[in-house]
Amino acid sequence: MQPIVLFDLDGLLIDSEPIWDAAKREVFGPLGLHLTPETQAATRGLRQRDMVAYWFDRATIQADPDDVEQQIVAAVCRRLEGVALKPGAEHAVTTCARASRAMAVVSSSPESVIRAALASTGLDGSFDAVFSAEDDEHGKPHPGAYLRAAAALGASPDECIVIEDSFTGVLAGASARMTVVAVPEAADRRDPRFAIATLVLESLKDLDTSVFGAYVSGGSRVVGSGLHG
């Protein structure tokens, strides 16, 4: 049986991490929290309420967390028009569509951001469903969003392939006991934690769906970092 393919969004399909980083600097800066690329990396892959809570726990910020979260999401939406696809994104979506029985986006971003991003990039007709962890009890790295997506699409976890860029997302997919393909940023590629992924690629351009059959529907599950490309 063909698998279900579950894609992350930010940093994987679209080059939106700089947009999120700029939005956080725009909102947090006037509140006295000045974020650097290094400090921003600590919350990569978290949903916005968890990211905001992370910084409120570590800095003295005189503001309403819910208001800060809404301001950041609004700032991101203003910047999404014309957001670039990550290298190989169209290749990955097209090839996975041929090799799977359904595809979905499973993201930590609010659904409004997911749908705006997909519309802006022309990918809005490519997926059978979108799932946001925004209203789940727990966000990534908790596996809840991935398990909910599998159930909604009528699949068991071992029939699902997760494609992620962040360790937070990879951990969520692995915790759901799904096959996980990691596509980390170059700076993160040698992070030994990505060894929990089934396969690690340098780019979505390297995604070859012929490997899917080796990992799902009872196939042997090879866990390792196997870089391709």
Side-chain angles (χ1 to χ4, degrees):
M1 182 180 291
Q2 289 181 309
I4 300 290
V5 181
L6 305 174
F7 284 86
D8 180 44
L9 178 67
D10 295 292
L12 179 78
L13 290 176
I14 60 172
D15 191 19
S16 55
E17 294 298 355
I19 291 175
W20 281 103
D21 289 353
K24 285 180 273 189
R25 289 195 302 271
E26 175 187 316
V27 176
F28 277 122
L31 299 175
L33 176 61
H34 301 287
L35 299 174
T36 67
E38 292 73 25
T39 56
Q40 297 246 35
T43 59
R44 195 80 74 216
L46 296 182
R47 59 184 176 178
Q48 296 319 294
R49 73 176 67 174
D50 297 331
M51 178 276 297
V52 169
Y54 178 95
W55 290 117
F56 269 72
D57 286 343
R58 288 160 175 78
T60 302
I61 302 172
Q62 301 299 321
D64 178 3
D66 290 340
D67 184 55
V68 168
E69 180 186 345
Q70 291 170 14
Q71 288 185 52
I72 293 171
V73 170
V76 167
C77 288
R78 290 196 299 270
R79 292 172 164 85
L80 273 177
E81 186 173 354
V83 64
L85 289 170
K86 295 288 284 188
E90 289 179 298
H91 160 76
V93 169
T94 300
T95 56
C96 286
R98 291 196 296 263
S100 63
R101 70 179 190 267
M103 299 197 308
V105 170
V106 182
S107 173
S108 295
S109 291
E111 185 171 342
S112 59
V113 172
I114 299 171
R115 294 196 180 279
L118 293 178
S120 179
T121 56
L123 293 178
D124 45 337
S126 300
F127 297 95
D128 298 285
V130 299
F131 299 91
S132 168
E134 180 181 28
D135 295 323
D136 289 353
E137 183 177 358
H138 302 289
K140 298 176 186 179
H142 191 278
Y146 279 120
L147 292 171
R148 179 163 57 88
L153 294 170
S156 61
D158 63 1
E159 295 176 302
C160 297
I161 293 176
V162 167
I163 307 180
E164 276 276 2
D165 66 298
S166 72
F167 176 69
T168 298
V170 166
L171 182 55
S175 298
R177 302 186 65 80
M178 297 176 178
T179 295
V180 181
V181 177
V183 192
E185 291 292 332
D188 300 328
R189 204 169 292 139
R190 299 300 174 184
D191 186 334
R193 296 179 301 170
F194 281 102
I196 68 170
T198 312
L199 185 68
V200 181
L201 303 178
E202 292 185 355
S203 168
L204 285 174
K205 292 185 290 186
D206 300 324
L207 184 63
D208 179 354
T209 57
S210 66
V211 305
F212 284 10
Y215 301 121
V216 299
S217 299
S220 60
R221 186 176 177 85
V222 180
V223 179
S225 58
L227 283 171
H228 286 202

